[in-house]
Each structure stands twice: as structure tokens, then as C-alpha cells.
Amino acid sequence: GVRKEPTRRDLKEAIDDLLAGRPVAQAETEVDGCLITFEKERKPLEANFTEHVAPILKKHCWECHQAEGMAPFALTTHKQASTRAAMIAEVVTHGRMPPWYASHEFGPFVNRRGLSDRERAILQDWAKIGAPAGDLKQAPEPPKAAESPWRIGTPDLVLQSGEIKLPAQGDIPYQYAILPHVFVEDTWVQAVQIVPDQPGLLHHGNLGYANLAEGFNEKNFITGQVPGGEPMSLDAGVAYCIPKGSVLALQLHFVASGKPEKTRVSVGLRYPREAVQRKLRNMQLTTNKFAIPPRAPAHRVAVTRTLTDDVVGVGLFAHMHLRGKDMSFLAHRPDGKSETLLVIPNYSFSWQMPYRWQPGTMRLAKGTKLECIAHYDNSPFNPYNPNPLATVRNGPQTHHEMMFGFFFYTHAEENLGIRVDPKTGIRAVELKIQ
């Protein structure tokens, strides 16, 4: 058993003896426990940029770390990478890069980022041995700077907001823009992208549709633009339907640059080239009824929704603000079994990414209860916390909070067979020959 109280306090008595100038009565004590095996120092790998490092950077990093890419600097040449070799080794050692905030225990997700143990060791050892170049004539060609901001390919329709004026300083209230186009018929889109003319001013934007029948409604969300996000680009046979009589509306969260600004935001749409078999839908697991107490280190907010149809999951997305700590998605199936779909143990407001399943693999039956659980860190130990003494409620600004879990899906047995005019996105008229 274990004693409730110690019979000796050897460390205290040794310190007392030392401070009193007496010989330490018990200089050593026997230690019980297991032997600890320390990692043996290994010989660094003989890695160079051309043969070993550049292929890893190309595979995992160049998507963002290239000229005019999303990252703040490029890593496509030996000079660029070698001057940051120690930093590269440090961020991959601690798992901060490549960015992936979800647990690897759940999924799998097709857009998962991560290095193998060997890839990580190569980058670490390359930094240790001085970041040698190798034969740079044989190095992979850096990617060419994108000629267009459109990651979805050339849009079939581009809509642009009017000019938006921004103040030099302070919190900027959400801006709203109605895009100048009425969809006179149901219009099917397979790819959608939001592109600001000054990306540094827009923190995030949400796109939805509005019409006379429904007005503005959060459930009519189509897609968004966030740091680390991806434009909507759906698999063949899947498309989103913008209803007849609708217009598109943007909700935009800008940040001040220190001087007055004028900006515009564009939206590009691409129509399907193949028959549409399934309609993309989304369910929002959200609530605005919460109050995070001052100094709370892990305040829990949870939401459940029940599926009314058999569905196939497309992906998940989480959105919180600076106090967002973690978010989990669970599925409680009608047969009583529960499954964890996604755990984001280290949510990042600065890099919000979707988590997409392999198409057709995540099937959930009618009656499944989806549960989204979020925790918020309002303590002084949260380095991003604007004010740990505040009671934090739902609100649009960064110093407020939000709780949004998005579940994107299609109906499992849907087989629409809709042919779309690739020039308009409208259902093609099938002519019958007499």
C-alpha cells in the first residue's frame, strides 16, 4: 500500500542541516523506480538541399511558401531555405509546420498535412550539418508565380462588390455587400472563390444567398474565405444550387491597416461540366447562447443536431475566435454506437482549415445525432486572450466569441442526373427530336 503521511522528509532535513552548517545526516537516499533509457545520439544524416530537402519542401511547403504565396516568405531556393534552416528544424520538431491542428487519431482526411519521421529527421539533420546545397543545377524548379488569383481555374462568372471604405484604426463593424446579379433560374456551381483586391485587409468573409422568400438566413451559407482555408471545389457529380430569384451576399470582416483604405471583393463561380448527381448541403452546429466566465480555462459549449436523412459526409469546419481552445465532432448513431469524427485539440484562429473525407466514405444513417463540443480558454495563460477579466459572449468582433461547427454533406441515395449548361449553370433544355 501507500502511506498516508511520510515518515521522513529527507530533502527538508538535508537543507536544514546545510543552512545550519551541520554535516548532512542523510546525504543520499535509495531511489525506487524504473531505469530510464535516453535516446542515443545518432549520427546526422548526410542531407543536402538538392537531393533531400527540396523534394520535402516541394511536397509539403511550397503550396504556401512560394513567391506571392499565402506564407510570409518563400522556401523555394537554397538561399531562402538555408537562411531559415534552424527555424525549419524547430517548427517541424514541435509539429507547428506543416500546419495541421487536428488529431491524427481520427479521420482519415484527404487534405491531411504532416511529415514522416524520416522527412522530419532529414530537415533536422540538414540544419545541424550547416544546410549544404548539393548540386543546385539538379534542384527542382521553383513553382512559377500564379498569373491569376483564381485557384478554381478561370471562373465562368465574376461578380464584384462596390467600393468599401475602411477607417484607419479600431474595430471595423462587419461590412455587407450585395453582389449585382440576380439568378433568374436555379443555378448549379461546382467551384466558388472569394478574392479580395487587398488580401491583407480581409480577415475572413462569408458568402450566402438571399431572396424574397427567405431573406438573409445563416443556413443559406455557401462558402467562406479564412486564413488557411480553401476555395470551394467540389468533386465531379456534386454541386451547390443557388435558388431561382436569389442574389449573393457577402459578410466581410476587415482589419484596419493604420490608414484609410478603399477595397473591393470579387466572387468567382465555375459551373459543372458533368451531370450533377448530388446536391451539396451543410448543417451548422452553432449556438449564441453562452457566456464564458472570467479566467475560465476550459469553458464548455456543446450543440447537437439530428440527421433527418441518410447522408454522405463531405467534410467538417470549425470557427471560433481568440479564446477558442479545442473542438470535437462526434456521431451518435441510431444503433447506440458513437464515433469521434474529428478532434481539433489546438484550435488556431490564425489558420482555419477544412477537414475533408475521402469522397463517399463517411456514411451516416438517418437519426444519427451529431454533437459538436467546444472549449474556450478565457484564462490569463491564453497568450491571445484580449481580456481574461471579461465575461465573453457571442459577437462579431474578434474580442467576442463564436461557436460554429459546419458539417457538409450530400443525401446518400440522391441521383439527380441534371445536365447543366456550362455557360450559365442553369439546367440544360433537352430537345426531343420528332
Side-chain angles (χ1 to χ4, degrees), residues 146-159 189-193 195 231-233 267-273 422-424:
E147 297 179 359
S148 165
W150 299 109
R151 296 164 63 188
I152 60 172
T154 303
D156 298 310
L157 175 66
V158 176
L159 304 175
V189 294
Q190 196 164 47
V192 183
Q193 185 180 353
V195 174
M232 176 194 283
S233 186
V267 172
L269 309 175
R270 274 183 62 85
Y271 305 130
R273 268 49 177 178
K423 296 180 180 179
T424 65

Side-chain angles (χ1 to χ4, degrees), residues 166-358:
L166 305 176
Q169 296 178 331
D171 289 340
I172 301 175
Y174 275 31
Q175 304 292 301
Y176 294 86
I178 306 297
L179 300 179
H181 180 86
V182 177
F183 293 87
V184 296
E185 299 289 345
D186 286 354
T187 302
W188 295 86
V189 294
Q190 196 164 47
V192 183
Q193 185 180 353
I194 301 168
V195 174
D197 63 358
Q198 298 184 68
L201 298 177
L202 182 66
H203 180 269
H204 71 269
N206 293 322
L207 177 72
Y209 69 82
N211 53 41
L212 293 176
E214 298 179 276
F216 289 93
N217 195 314
E218 285 185 345
K219 72 180 180 64
N220 297 339
F221 172 85
I222 299 173
T223 190
Q225 191 269 345
V226 292
E230 304 171 356
M232 176 194 283
S233 186
L234 302 175
D235 294 306
V238 181
Y240 185 90
C241 183
I242 301 171
K244 174 181 178 179
S246 297
V247 295
L248 297 183
L250 284 164
Q251 180 196 63
L252 302 165
H253 184 187
F254 291 100
V255 293
S257 69
K259 61 182 176 47
E261 299 278 7
K262 296 178 181 178
T263 186
R264 296 176 187 269
V265 178
S266 298
V267 172
L269 309 175
R270 274 183 62 85
Y271 305 130
R273 268 49 177 178
E274 300 178 356
V276 176
Q277 304 297 349
R278 296 174 302 283
K279 175 181 176 181
L280 181 72
R281 295 169 164 86
N282 75 77
M283 175 181 287
Q284 298 173 25
L285 292 97
T286 180
T287 180
N288 58 12
K289 295 179 173 59
F290 59 84
I292 306 169
R295 299 179 178 274
H299 183 75
R300 185 179 188 271
V301 180
V303 177
T304 60
R305 299 282 187 272
T306 301
L307 298 177
T308 56
D309 297 273
D310 294 340
V311 306
V312 178
V314 173
L316 298 164
F317 181 77
H319 179 70
M320 299 181 282
H321 288 175
L322 296 174
R323 295 169 177 87
K325 181 182 179 75
D326 61 67
M327 185 175 281
S328 301
F329 293 80
L330 298 91
H332 305 290
R333 299 178 185 269
D335 62 6
K337 296 180 180 178
S338 293
E339 177 184 358
T340 300
L341 304 179
L342 169 67
V343 175
I344 307 172
N346 183 26
Y347 173 80
S348 173
F349 180 65
S350 300
W351 197 260
Q352 303 173 44
M353 58 177 54
Y355 300 91
R356 293 183 282 106
W357 291 295
Q358 183 72 33

Side-chain angles (χ1 to χ4, degrees), residues 124-139:
Q124 292 165 338
D125 291 353
W126 181 64
K128 283 181 185 177
I129 63 177
D135 182 4
L136 293 179
K137 293 180 181 178
Q138 303 298 319

Side-chain angles (χ1 to χ4, degrees), residues 10-141:
D10 294 312
L11 178 59
K12 177 181 181 303
E13 292 167 9
I15 293 173
D16 289 343
D17 287 342
L18 186 65
L19 293 176
R22 299 187 298 263
V24 176
Q26 186 74 31
E28 293 182 2
T29 59
E30 185 177 347
V31 177
D32 293 326
C34 302
L35 289 174
I36 298 174
T37 302
F38 294 97
E39 183 179 359
K40 293 181 179 179
E41 187 70 24
R42 60 177 176 80
K43 183 180 178 181
L45 299 170
E46 293 295 329
N48 64 61
F49 178 80
T50 295
E51 296 176 71
H52 309 99
V53 172
I56 297 173
L57 299 180
K58 180 180 180 179
K59 178 180 177 182
H60 297 286
C61 310
W62 285 4
E63 177 186 352
C64 299
H65 288 276
Q66 60 173 285
E68 300 180 17
M70 289 186 290
F73 51 82
L75 292 174
T76 56
T77 68
H78 174 255
K79 182 178 180 180
Q80 292 166 344
S82 62
T83 56
R84 296 181 170 88
M87 180 193 68
I88 293 171
E90 193 265 341
V91 297
V92 301
T93 297
H94 293 105
R96 296 202 301 277
M97 289 287 159
W100 181 259
Y101 297 96
S103 167
H104 295 300
E105 298 296 318
F106 307 102
F109 297 99
V110 293
N111 59 328
R112 177 186 178 274
R113 290 187 173 103
L115 299 174
S116 68
D117 290 342
R118 179 168 176 78
E119 289 172 328
R120 192 175 296 106
I122 288 172
L123 296 177
Q124 292 165 338
D125 291 353
W126 181 64
K128 283 181 185 177
I129 63 177
D135 182 4
L136 293 179
K137 293 180 181 178
Q138 303 298 319
E141 283 290 325

Side-chain angles (χ1 to χ4, degrees), residues 359-407:
T361 59
M362 180 52 66
R363 302 181 73 88
L364 297 169
K366 176 181 178 180
T368 297
K369 183 186 292 184
L370 296 179
E371 183 177 22
C372 182
I373 303 170
H375 290 97
Y376 296 85
D377 183 357
N378 196 24
S379 77
F381 298 99
N382 176 357
Y384 307 106
N385 192 348
N387 181 7
L389 301 180
T391 298
V392 185
R393 294 180 170 84
N394 181 78
Q397 292 298 334
T398 304
H399 60 263
H400 300 133
E401 266 305 336
M402 285 187 175
M403 193 281 190
F404 273 95
F406 289 86
F407 173 64

